[in-house]
Amino acid sequence: MAETESPIRLGIVGCANIARKVARAINLAPNSVLHAIGSRSIEKAKQFATVNGFPESVKIYGNYEQVLEDPFVDAVYMPLPTSLHVHWAVMAAKKGKHLLIEKPTALDVGELDRILETCESNGVQFMDGSMWLHHPRTVKMKQMLFDSKLLGDVNYVYSTSTTAASPEFMENDIRVKPKLDALGALGDIGWYCLGAVLWAKNYQLPTVVTALPDVTKNSNGVIISCSASIQYRQPDGTKTDAIIHCSFLCNTSMDLAITGSRGTINLNDFIIPYQESSASFEFTLGAKFVELHIGWNVKPEKIVVASELPQEALMVQEFARLVEGIKTYGFLPDRKWPEISRKTQLLLDAVKKSVDLGCKPVYF
Amino acid sequence: MAETESPIRLGIVGCANIARKVARAINLAPNSVLHAIGSRSIEKAKQFATVNGFPESVKIYGNYEQVLEDPFVDAVYMPLPTSLHVHWAVMAAKKGKHLLIEKPTALDVGELDRILETCESNGVQFMDGSMWLHHPRTVKMKQMLFDSKLLGDVNYVYSTSTTAASPEFMENDIRVKPKLDALGALGDIGWYCLGAVLWAKNYQLPTVVTALPDVTKNSNGVIISCSASIQYRQPDGTKTDAIIHCSFLCNTSMDLAITGSRGTINLNDFIIPYQESSASFEFTLGAKFVELHIGWNVKPEKIVVASELPQEALMVQEFARLVEGIKTYGFLPDRKWPEISRKTQLLLDAVKKSVDLGCKPVYF
């Protein structure tokens, strides 16, 4: 549904499952179009195109290089295993392709910096695939978070991202293979929790991070479940504490609770909303107990936010909008999105380091 | 509203604010009646009786001893500062008074054991004031927790109890005074979180407990905010992790989330329901993502449970029922409630010890 005159043409590098969702999003976004798909095998790429009903106009390549070399590809979406990111992302940026890359962005911030520096020096846009940040519900919550009359100072953030992985996943998925996604559950789904903490703190980095002793690794040493305490301590004595929990061993949850000095926000589907058309969260302002403590003075208010497009299509739309600005109007790449990615990666690195140190605190 | 022929006569020892709520509950419960109130000063006791509209039949004493010596008092409700519990609870039990005591039950399990042993040797009932355990919603959740077809094995429990204390509370309340309630927020409100973890695990004690580094103490060294990681590890490899957070520095929250292998339970008012007449929780069974991960296959089901009496009246009713059994039918005191208290105290002691050790793990 390309509604602009010259929609941004995206190439997809890799046929991961998530690419199916993003291919649909590229189609739904009004300013982008799917131009090419590349896989390590032409058969896999063809099958992927057929299964997902891509039109014949979509180029199908039997390797990643050809996507990056296709002069009609403006930007690439890269859902490759994390360990391959630095190689292919740097190559894409060098070839002037704008980059929408799956999370975790890299194995560590050193790798990410190589990607970001290449993007910067080649004038290409960088954005990671944190779809929830683009949902209008997220925007609405942020407005309430930073309205000083509402939530007040953020005192506490709690976030989970858990999924009960199948035995087949736990055996074979790239996300539990040390050579492919060495960050395991922390990288794949903990990324969202860490991102949510940073988001709630307006991307301020914490003072200290400590992994909890509940970490579980698989036989290859990959984290499949862990938690972390994230502390913000200001010189004036104010503080924020956050706790995150991510696990491949636990039934689906994606809870986000933010407690401010005057109000709270609660939701249980912050990463993937229950349904596409609208999403909600609960907000409680000035909760106190009534006389005799036999109830509350207020009940949570359910705030529903409609979404005209799925959040992943909004993400692609925002990405394509920035690419359009660079391509057509000569704007500089937007710095907000790479900064968000980099801080999330820094926080992830700190949790990983704390896990590796046996849950010792890691200071920023 | 004493509907039985000979309702159990309760004496209240101490005029704490919470005593007003429990006095009302004694009145509401069909098998109990308020017989006496004692305070350190007769004026305070008289004022308390007037403010709360006690009938003239209620005896008013200017000390605690007279309540315990009143031969018409079957049982006492004891909302004294924690540090006074062991003295007065032991004295009450020695005088044959059944004991409903506020939480935390004692400063440590050693003190609690002195109380429990005295209750046992004097044949009196013991129960602590954890009201939420008596709500029919709690009973309903427990049924679902232990229905093997529903939630499955409990993998994860998260619980908070927070309240933004006023500057006046933080300065003067007994709950932040080392000589009165040395356990601070951990004892006063962390008790509920720890109790909820044990409740969800059917009162199995954990393997190891570790306080999180986010602990905050006041200038007297009393805990005013802390968190803990509670781990269950079975020889067969199964595990449950729990995280609790309690704070006097954070806006009102009382969240309980239980994630099982097949379903989740979520509620945000587990200690004091929003309203008295009914309470609810959300239950999600078999949550998965739909094709393309663009939503969930199920949405949480809201389960509403009506309550004919407030939970504190149900607590008093259950307590009075047990006392009636002992008094009238010669039954032995029920062992369930003291065991629940003792395990909660043991867990609390472990968290406190971990805090005192600088967040070192404490093994059971």
Side-chain angles (χ1 to χ4, degrees):
Chain A
M1 203 207 311
E3 290 178 4
T4 53
E5 277 186 33
S6 54
I8 296 303
R9 288 160 303 196
L10 276 105
I12 296 179
V13 171
C15 292
N17 254 330
I18 186 75
R20 299 178 55 209
K21 180 173 180 174
V22 175
R24 171 175 174 267
I26 292 169
N27 190 39
L28 287 171
N31 56 349
S32 65
V33 66
L34 182 61
H35 181 79
I37 169 91
S39 174
R40 281 169 301 171
S41 90
I42 188 78
E43 289 72 28
K44 201 173 166 193
K46 280 181 182 168
Q47 191 189 10
F48 190 81
T50 305
V51 166
N52 292 289
F54 292 167
E56 294 215 347
S57 59
V58 174
K59 296 276 188 304
I60 297 170
Y61 296 119
N63 55 64
Y64 305 147
E65 288 89 342
Q66 282 177 285
V67 178
L68 305 187
E69 279 161 11
D70 185 327
F72 293 101
V73 167
D74 297 308
V76 295
Y77 167 63
M78 192 171 284
L80 297 174
T82 313
S83 62
L84 304 182
H85 280 192
V86 66
H87 175 80
W88 292 104
V90 164
M91 190 180 293
K94 281 184 178 169
K95 292 191 183 291
K97 306 303 186 195
H98 304 276
L99 192 62
L100 179 62
I101 193 166
E102 264 311 322
K103 26 55 57 184
T105 48
L107 290 177
D108 58 43
V109 78
E111 281 193 359
L112 177 59
D113 279 346
R114 285 179 56 201
I115 298 173
L116 294 180
E117 284 157 17
T118 315
C119 287
E120 174 110 6
S121 61
N122 287 276
V124 302
Q125 182 64 46
F126 178 95
M127 182 186 280
D128 80 52
S130 298
M131 301 167 179
W132 74 279
L133 290 173
H134 301 269
H135 198 287
R137 172 177 65 177
T138 309
V139 176
K140 176 71 178 167
M141 291 193 294
K142 189 104 189 185
Q143 285 168 355
M144 295 177 76
L145 266 175
F146 293 97
D147 181 334
S148 61
K149 289 175 202 145
L150 290 174
L151 207 79
D153 297 327
V154 171
N155 296 143
Y156 183 70
V157 183
Y158 172 71
S159 173
T160 73
S161 180
T162 69
T163 180
S166 63
E168 199 266 334
F169 176 103
M170 293 302 280
E171 188 70 27
N172 297 319
D173 196 90
I174 59 160
R175 282 165 282 185
V176 294
K177 298 278 186 189
K179 290 191 180 166
L180 294 171
D181 268 320
L183 300 172
L186 177 62
D188 184 40
I189 51 181
W191 179 273
Y192 295 114
C193 303
L194 298 168
V197 173
L198 289 169
W199 170 84
K201 288 295 291 178
N202 211 16
Y203 293 99
Q204 191 187 342
L205 285 167
T207 315
V208 56
V209 168
T210 316
L212 304 198
D214 63 9
V215 63
T216 302
K217 297 179 179 181
N218 69 9
S219 56
N220 292 318
V222 174
I223 294 169
I224 51 173
S225 178
C226 74
S227 309
S229 161
I230 298 163
Q231 297 172 261
Y232 290 81
R233 296 293 180 268
Q234 304 298 334
D236 67 0
T238 59
K239 65 187 198 88
T240 304
D241 290 304
I243 295 174
I244 66 116
H245 173 65
C246 59
S247 177
F248 285 148
L249 302 173
C250 209
N251 198 32
T252 306
S253 81
M254 33 185 75
D255 299 347
L256 177 59
I258 303 169
T259 310
S261 51
R262 271 197 298 276
T264 59
I265 281 176
N266 273 292
L267 62 163
N268 300 111
D269 63 343
F270 88 97
I271 304 165
I272 299 178
Y274 295 126
Q275 58 188 38
E276 287 197 321
S277 56
S278 71
S280 67
F281 62 96
E282 294 207 329
F283 181 68
T284 311
L285 185 64
K288 293 192 190 309
F289 302 120
V290 296
E291 173 71 2
L292 290 181
H293 283 211
I294 56 174
W296 297 44
N297 62 332
V298 289
K299 287 179 77 170
E301 183 186 354
K302 186 176 181 175
I303 295 175
V304 180
V305 182
S307 186
E308 285 189 25
L309 283 175
Q311 59 183 5
E312 58 273 16
L314 294 168
M315 173 182 76
V316 171
Q317 184 179 19
E318 167 72 357
F319 176 68
R321 184 184 70 79
L322 295 170
V323 171
E324 169 81 5
I326 299 164
K327 183 183 170 190
T328 307
Y329 304 104
F331 295 163
L332 286 173
D334 182 278
R335 287 175 178 272
K336 182 179 91 166
W337 296 108
E339 189 189 337
I340 287 174
S341 303
R342 189 170 190 277
K343 288 186 169 172
T344 312
Q345 185 82 49
L346 273 171
L347 190 51
L348 196 160
D349 286 8
V351 176
K352 177 69 164 50
K353 187 174 175 188
S354 182
V355 168
D356 291 344
L357 292 171
C359 302
K360 291 234 166 23
V362 173
Y363 293 86
F364 278 84
Chain B
M1 202 208 308
E3 289 177 5
T4 52
E5 277 187 34
S6 53
I8 296 303
R9 289 160 301 196
L10 277 104
I12 296 179
V13 171
C15 292
N17 254 332
I18 186 73
R20 299 178 55 209
K21 180 174 180 174
V22 175
R24 171 175 173 267
I26 292 168
N27 189 39
L28 288 171
N31 56 349
S32 66
V33 65
L34 181 60
H35 181 80
I37 170 90
S39 174
R40 280 169 301 171
S41 91
I42 188 79
E43 289 71 29
K44 200 172 165 193
K46 280 181 182 167
Q47 191 189 9
F48 190 82
T50 306
V51 166
N52 291 289
F54 292 166
E56 294 215 348
S57 58
V58 174
K59 295 278 188 303
I60 297 169
Y61 296 119
N63 56 63
Y64 305 148
E65 288 88 342
Q66 281 177 286
V67 179
L68 305 186
E69 279 160 10
D70 185 326
F72 294 101
V73 166
D74 297 309
V76 294
Y77 166 63
M78 191 171 283
L80 296 175
T82 313
S83 61
L84 303 181
H85 280 192
V86 66
H87 175 80
W88 291 104
V90 164
M91 190 181 292
K94 280 184 176 168
K95 292 191 183 293
K97 307 303 186 195
H98 304 276
L99 192 61
L100 178 62
I101 193 166
E102 264 311 322
K103 27 54 56 182
T105 49
L107 290 177
D108 58 43
V109 77
E111 281 193 359
L112 177 58
D113 279 346
R114 285 179 55 201
I115 298 172
L116 294 180
E117 284 158 17
T118 315
C119 286
E120 174 111 7
S121 61
N122 287 276
V124 301
Q125 183 64 46
F126 178 95
M127 182 185 281
D128 79 52
S130 298
M131 301 167 180
W132 74 280
L133 291 173
H134 301 268
H135 198 287
R137 171 176 66 177
T138 310
V139 176
K140 175 72 178 168
M141 290 193 294
K142 189 104 189 186
Q143 285 167 355
M144 294 177 76
L145 266 175
F146 293 98
D147 181 334
S148 61
K149 290 176 201 142
L150 290 175
L151 208 80
D153 297 328
V154 171
N155 296 142
Y156 183 70
V157 183
Y158 172 71
S159 173
T160 73
S161 181
T162 69
T163 181
S166 63
E168 199 265 333
F169 176 101
M170 293 301 281
E171 188 69 28
N172 297 318
D173 196 90
I174 60 161
R175 283 165 283 185
V176 294
K177 298 279 187 189
K179 290 192 179 166
L180 294 170
D181 268 318
L183 300 171
L186 177 62
D188 184 40
I189 51 181
W191 178 273
Y192 296 114
C193 303
L194 297 169
V197 173
L198 289 168
W199 170 84
K201 289 294 292 178
N202 211 16
Y203 293 98
Q204 191 188 341
L205 284 167
T207 315
V208 56
V209 168
T210 316
L212 304 198
D214 63 9
V215 62
T216 303
K217 297 180 179 181
N218 70 8
S219 56
N220 291 318
V222 174
I223 295 168
I224 51 173
S225 178
C226 73
S227 309
S229 161
I230 298 162
Q231 297 173 260
Y232 291 82
R233 295 293 180 270
Q234 304 299 335
D236 68 0
T238 59
K239 66 189 196 88
T240 304
D241 291 305
I243 295 174
I244 66 116
H245 173 65
C246 59
S247 177
F248 285 147
L249 302 174
C250 209
N251 198 32
T252 306
S253 81
M254 33 184 75
D255 299 348
L256 177 58
I258 303 169
T259 310
S261 50
R262 270 197 298 276
T264 59
I265 281 176
N266 272 292
L267 63 164
N268 300 111
D269 63 343
F270 88 96
I271 303 165
I272 299 179
Y274 295 127
Q275 58 188 38
E276 287 197 321
S277 56
S278 72
S280 68
F281 62 96
E282 293 207 329
F283 181 69
T284 311
L285 186 64
K288 293 191 190 309
F289 302 120
V290 296
E291 172 71 1
L292 291 182
H293 283 212
I294 57 173
W296 296 45
N297 62 333
V298 289
K299 286 180 78 171
E301 183 186 354
K302 185 175 182 175
I303 296 175
V304 181
V305 182
S307 185
E308 284 189 26
L309 283 175
Q311 59 183 4
E312 57 273 17
L314 293 168
M315 173 182 75
V316 171
Q317 185 180 18
E318 166 72 356
F319 176 68
R321 184 184 71 77
L322 295 171
V323 172
E324 170 81 5
I326 298 163
K327 183 184 170 189
T328 308
Y329 304 104
F331 295 162
L332 286 173
D334 181 279
R335 286 174 179 271
K336 181 179 91 165
W337 296 108
E339 190 188 337
I340 287 175
S341 304
R342 189 170 189 276
K343 287 186 170 172
T344 312
Q345 185 81 50
L346 272 171
L347 190 51
L348 196 160
D349 286 8
V351 176
K352 178 69 164 50
K353 187 174 174 188
S354 181
V355 168
D356 291 344
L357 292 171
C359 303
K360 291 235 164 25
V362 173
Y363 294 86
F364 278 86

